[in-house]
Amino acid sequence: VQSSVQFQVEPVGRWFEAYLKRRTRNVSASFQELEDEKELSEESEDEELQLEEFPMLKTLDPKDWKNQDHYAVLGLAHLRYKATQKQIKAAHKAMVLKHHPDKRKAAGEQIVEGDNDYFTCITKACEILSDPVKRRAFDSVDPTFDNAVPSKSEGKENFFDVFAPVFERNSRWTSKKHVPKLGNMSSSFEDVDAFYSFWYNFDSWREFSYLDEEEKEKAECRDERRWIEKQNRAARAQRKKEEMNRIRTLVDTAYSCDPRIKKFKDDEKARKEAEKKAKADAKRKEHEERERQAELEAERLRKEKEEEEAKQAALQARKEKEVQKKAIKKERQKLRTICKNWSYFSENESESVKMMEEVEKLCDRLELTSLQTLNEVLASSTKEESKAAVEKQIQEVNAQLQKEKEEAEAKARQLSKSSEQMNAGAGIGGKGWNEDDLQLLIKAVNLFPAGTNARWEVIANYMNLHSTSGIKRNAKDVINKAKNLQKLDPHQKDEINKKAFEKFKKEHNAVPQNVDNAVPSERFDGKYKDAAPWTTEEQKLLEQALKTFPVNTPERWEKIAEAVPSRSKKDCMKRYKV
C-alpha cells in the first residue's frame, strides 16, 4: 500500500470564478443564479433577432463603402434607424460568425487577401453604426428614405391620405420631442395654426457630413486640411440649404392644398374687405418686383455678353502671341542656319566660336521685326555684306548690353551699400549677420519648410550648430531676419545668390576632383574630334553652370568657363554645340 502524496493544486475554471464573484460581491448563490438567468434571457433575445440576408453582400467593393447600405450589410434593413445598439452588436456578431475569412477559408472558399475582401464592408458597417455621430451622419443620407414632395394635383384629390404619411416620415429629422399631427377636417384653427407654425419653423438635425468628397485626414499639411474643411463646410451648407428648401416646399404645397385653410378663409369672409387692399398692394409690389427682375435679367445678359467678348478677345490675343512666338523661333533658326552656312564668316576656329556666341546673343536680344529685316538682308547679300550686316547688328546689341550691365552694376552697388548699412544696423544690436550666416539661414529655411514642428526653433538650433561666427541666435532673431530677406529687392536677392555660387565654386575648386571610372564620352563632330574627352564630373559642372547662367546673362560663357575649372570658354561652347 502506497502512502498518500500531497500536491499543490491551483484552483481554476468557471466554477471557481463564480465562487470568487459571489465572495467578492457578498451575494448568495441564489442571487448569482438570477443573474445567470438574466444573461441567458439576453442571449435568447439576441437569438430571436431576425436578420435579413443581403444578396449582394459578396459583390460589394470595400473601397466604395460610402455608397453601401450599412443596415443591409448587417441584415438590419427591416429595422434601419430604429435598430438599437444591442441589436447592431448582435447582428455584427452573427455576420462575423458566418462570413469571417478564416471560417470561409476553412470551408474551402477562395478568400481575397488584404482589405479587398467583402468582410471589410461588415467591419466598416459596424464601425459607422456603433458610433452615434457617424450613425447620425449616415442616417441623414439614408438611401431608402423618400425625399419626394407631393405635387399640388396629388394633394387636392385626397389631402390627408397623401400628406399625413409624408409629414410623419419627415418628422424623424426634428430636434424637438413633440411633433403635432396633421389632424383632420374637424381640427380647430389653433391646432392647424400650431401645425404649420411648427413646420414653418422646423428645426432639423439632419446633416450631410457623410457626403464629404474630401477627407481631411488625407491632407499632408495644416493648410491643406483647412482648405479641405472649408470645401466640406461649403458643400454641407449647400446641401442643408437644399434640404430646408425641400421642407419649405413641402409645407408650402400642403398649406396651399389644405381644405381647412379654405374653410377658415370662407369663415372669415367678413374681414376680406380689408385684405383686398393688402392684396392689391401685394400685387403692385409683385409687378414692381417682376419689372425689377426683368431689369436685373437684362443687366445680367449684358454683362455675360461683355464677358464673352472679353474672353474671345483674350483668346485671340493668346493665339496672336503663339503665332508671334513661332515666327520669332523660325527667324532665329533661319539666322543660325545662314550664319552656319557661311561658316560664321571666318575660317579661323576661335573666331568662328566667338561669332557663334555673338549670333546667339542676337537671337536672344532681337525682336521679330529686327530678325526678319536682318534675315532678308543676309539672304540677298554676299558673304562680306552679310558679315558687315551681322557685325553692325552685334555692335548695337553689345552696346545695349554694356549699357544695361553698367546700370545693373550701379544698382547692385547701391543695393549692396544699403545691405551693408542694414547689416551694420543689425550689428549694433549685438547680433550682426555676415554673408555666411545669411547663406546658412537661406539653406535652413529651404531645409525645414513650412509645416515643420517648432520650425523656427529648429532653424535657430541648426544655425547655432553650423555657424562659424560664434553668435547664438534664438527663434525671434531668425524670424526677423527671414522677414527682412523677403522684403529685399529681386536684384539684391540675385546678388546674394551670386555670392553663394562663388563661395560654392571656391570650395569646390579647393577639393581635388574625383574622376570616376566611367567611360568618357566618344561623341565628336568634325573639327572638334581632337579635343580631350569630357569626364562625368566635368559634364555635371557644365550642366549646372548652364542652368545657373541663363542665355540673357552678360558674359555668360566666361562665367560658365569659370565654373568648369579644367575647361576653357572655347571648350565649353564646343561641348554645348555638340
Side-chain angles (χ1 to χ4, degrees):
V1 178
Q2 295 181 352
S3 60
S4 61
V5 180
Q6 187 174 1
F7 289 94
Q8 183 93 16
V9 179
E10 180 180 2
V12 294
R14 62 190 185 96
W15 299 110
F16 179 75
E17 184 181 0
Y19 163 75
L20 286 180
K21 285 184 179 179
R22 291 197 299 271
R23 190 179 70 174
T24 303
R25 299 167 62 181
N26 195 22
V27 296
S28 63
S30 60
F31 180 80
Q32 184 65 31
E33 291 173 357
L34 291 175
E35 285 194 338
D36 293 340
E37 291 177 2
K38 182 179 179 181
E39 292 179 0
L40 289 174
S41 64
E42 291 178 354
E43 292 178 359
S44 63
E45 290 178 5
D46 293 342
E47 293 175 357
E48 293 174 0
L49 178 64
Q50 298 295 327
L51 301 179
E52 293 181 359
E53 186 69 20
F54 185 42
M56 304 298 293
L57 177 61
K58 295 185 178 182
T59 63
L60 294 178
D61 183 6
K63 296 180 182 178
D64 194 27
W65 60 269
K66 269 201 172 185
N67 296 323
Q68 297 167 7
D69 188 349
H70 301 303
Y71 288 111
V73 169
L74 293 181
L76 299 174
H78 58 295
L79 296 178
R80 304 204 70 78
Y81 71 96
K82 296 180 180 179
T84 63
Q85 286 297 322
K86 181 180 177 182
Q87 291 171 330
I88 291 173
K89 291 180 180 179
H92 177 250
K93 180 179 179 181
M95 297 299 288
V96 168
L97 292 175
K98 184 175 180 181
H99 295 283
H100 196 277
D102 292 342
K103 290 216 168 194
R104 292 187 285 121
K105 187 174 182 180
E109 183 178 343
Q110 186 69 24
I111 304 300
V112 180
E113 296 295 332
D115 294 337
N116 295 323
D117 189 76
Y118 73 88
F119 183 78
T120 307
C121 299
I122 299 175
T123 306
K124 192 68 177 180
C126 180
E127 174 190 345
I128 291 176
L129 299 182
S130 298
D131 188 334
V133 176
K134 294 181 179 179
R135 183 180 180 184
R136 170 168 281 201
F138 175 72
D139 287 340
S140 296
V141 295
D142 192 338
T144 62
F145 181 77
D146 185 9
N147 289 293
V149 176
S151 63
K152 290 184 178 181
S153 59
E154 295 174 349
K156 287 183 179 180
E157 296 296 331
N158 199 349
F159 175 78
F160 296 99
D161 293 339
V162 172
F163 280 93
V166 178
F167 281 105
E168 181 69 21
R169 184 169 66 242
N170 285 274
S171 64
R172 63 182 285 191
W173 309 122
T174 181
S175 301
K176 300 178 181 178
K177 292 184 178 179
H178 303 288
V179 181
K181 301 294 183 181
L182 180 61
N184 49 40
M185 279 300 296
S186 61
S187 299
S188 63
F189 174 81
E190 289 75 16
D191 293 337
V192 175
D193 183 68
F195 174 82
Y196 284 107
S197 296
F198 173 86
W199 284 97
Y200 273 118
N201 299 286
F202 187 74
D203 185 14
S204 173
W205 58 260
R206 195 177 190 185
E207 51 96 14
F208 301 90
S209 60
Y210 189 84
L211 299 178
D212 290 347
E213 294 182 2
E214 302 285 348
E215 296 181 14
K216 67 177 184 180
E217 289 79 11
K218 296 181 179 179
E220 297 180 359
C221 63
R222 180 177 58 185
D223 293 337
E224 186 176 357
R225 282 195 299 272
R226 288 179 177 176
W227 181 85
I228 290 175
E229 289 176 357
K230 181 179 179 181
Q231 297 296 320
N232 290 339
R233 282 197 301 269
R236 294 175 197 170
Q238 180 63 26
R239 294 189 178 100
K240 184 71 173 180
K241 182 179 179 181
E242 294 173 357
E243 168 64 10
M244 297 312 297
N245 288 338
R246 185 186 70 84
I247 296 293
R248 185 59 182 260
T249 302
L250 170 63
V251 180
D252 288 340
T253 306
Y255 188 86
S256 63
C257 298
D258 196 338
R260 297 169 299 181
I261 302 300
K262 186 176 182 300
K263 186 184 74 169
F264 294 147
K265 289 182 180 180
D266 292 338
D267 294 341
E268 296 176 358
K269 198 169 184 178
R271 290 183 285 178
K272 283 294 180 86
E273 295 298 329
E275 294 179 359
K276 285 183 179 180
K277 184 178 180 181
K279 286 183 179 181
D281 293 339
K283 187 176 181 180
R284 177 178 53 80
K285 290 181 180 180
E286 183 181 356
H287 179 68
E288 293 176 353
E289 180 66 18
R290 282 200 300 268
E291 291 181 348
R292 189 177 70 86
Q293 292 294 337
E295 293 176 357
L296 292 175
E297 181 66 16
E299 180 68 16
R300 184 185 66 82
L301 293 175
R302 184 184 63 80
K303 288 183 178 180
E304 288 182 355
K305 183 178 179 181
E306 291 178 354
E307 291 175 356
E308 183 63 24
E309 291 176 353
K311 183 178 179 182
Q312 293 297 330
L315 182 62
Q316 182 64 26
R318 194 180 304 116
K319 290 181 179 179
E320 293 176 356
K321 187 176 180 181
E322 290 295 329
V323 171
Q324 186 177 12
K325 185 177 179 181
K326 291 180 180 179
I328 197 170
K329 182 178 180 181
K330 181 179 178 181
E331 294 298 328
R332 287 173 177 173
Q333 186 61 36
K334 187 176 180 181
L335 176 59
R336 293 189 184 102
T337 303
I338 293 174
C339 293
K340 185 176 181 181
N341 293 337
W342 288 111
S343 300
Y344 293 97
F345 309 106
S346 177
E347 299 298 331
N348 187 286
E349 181 180 337
S350 59
E351 292 181 359
S352 297
V353 173
K354 185 176 180 181
M355 180 60 72
M356 185 190 310
E357 180 183 357
E358 298 298 334
V359 170
E360 289 299 322
K361 283 184 184 179
L362 293 180
C363 292
D364 294 333
R365 299 287 300 184
L366 294 182
E367 299 293 336
L368 177 60
T369 53
S370 301
L371 285 171
Q372 290 175 341
T373 303
L374 180 59
N375 286 334
E376 290 175 359
V377 171
L378 296 180
S380 60
S381 302
T382 62
K383 181 177 180 180
E384 296 300 326
E385 293 174 347
S386 300
K387 180 178 180 181
V390 171
E391 288 179 346
K392 179 181 178 182
Q393 197 69 53
I394 289 173
Q395 290 176 359
E396 294 177 359
V397 170
N398 287 336
Q400 182 66 23
L401 285 174
Q402 183 64 25
K403 182 179 179 182
E404 292 177 359
K405 180 181 177 181
E406 291 174 356
E407 293 176 355
E409 289 177 351
K411 192 170 184 179
R413 285 194 297 269
Q414 183 179 358
L415 292 174
S416 178
K417 185 177 180 180
S418 63
S419 177
E420 291 175 359
Q421 292 175 355
M422 182 179 64
N423 291 336
I428 295 173
K431 292 188 177 182
W433 292 76
N434 55 32
E435 293 181 2
D436 293 340
D437 287 348
L438 288 177
Q439 296 306 320
L440 189 60
L441 174 60
I442 294 172
K443 179 180 179 181
V445 169
N446 294 329
L447 189 60
F448 304 104
T452 305
N453 189 21
R455 181 193 184 196
W456 295 107
E457 287 78 2
V458 173
I459 293 176
N461 293 334
Y462 179 85
M463 292 197 62
N464 293 333
L465 182 63
H466 295 85
S467 177
T468 58
S469 63
I471 300 176
K472 298 298 181 181
R473 309 185 190 277
N474 55 30
K476 185 176 180 181
D477 298 333
V478 174
I479 292 174
N480 291 335
K481 194 60 183 178
K483 289 182 178 178
N484 291 335
L485 288 176
Q486 289 179 349
K487 297 177 182 178
L488 290 178
D489 188 84
H491 294 284
Q492 193 167 356
K493 292 183 180 179
D494 294 340
E495 184 69 21
I496 293 175
N497 291 332
K498 181 178 178 182
K499 291 180 179 179
F501 179 76
E502 292 176 354
K503 180 183 176 183
F504 164 78
K505 184 181 65 176
K506 291 179 181 178
E507 293 175 354
H508 184 79
N509 291 340
V511 178
Q513 296 185 6
N514 295 324
V515 180
D516 57 16
N517 296 324
V519 179
S521 174
E522 294 296 335
R523 185 179 178 185
F524 302 103
D525 186 12
K527 56 187 176 183
Y528 302 142
K529 64 182 180 180
D530 296 330
W534 283 66
T535 64
T536 305
E537 184 67 23
E538 291 173 338
Q539 182 66 26
K540 290 181 179 178
L541 290 176
L542 176 62
E543 292 175 358
Q544 181 61 39
L546 288 171
K547 295 178 182 177
T548 305
F549 303 107
V551 293
N552 58 352
T553 304
E555 300 179 357
R556 181 195 186 199
W557 288 104
E558 287 78 357
K559 296 178 180 178
I560 291 175
E562 292 176 1
V564 187
S566 58
R567 295 290 177 173
S568 64
K569 169 184 169 183
K570 185 188 301 183
D571 294 336
C572 294
M573 293 188 68
K574 290 179 181 178
R575 184 65 177 177
Y576 174 72
K577 289 300 178 182
V578 171

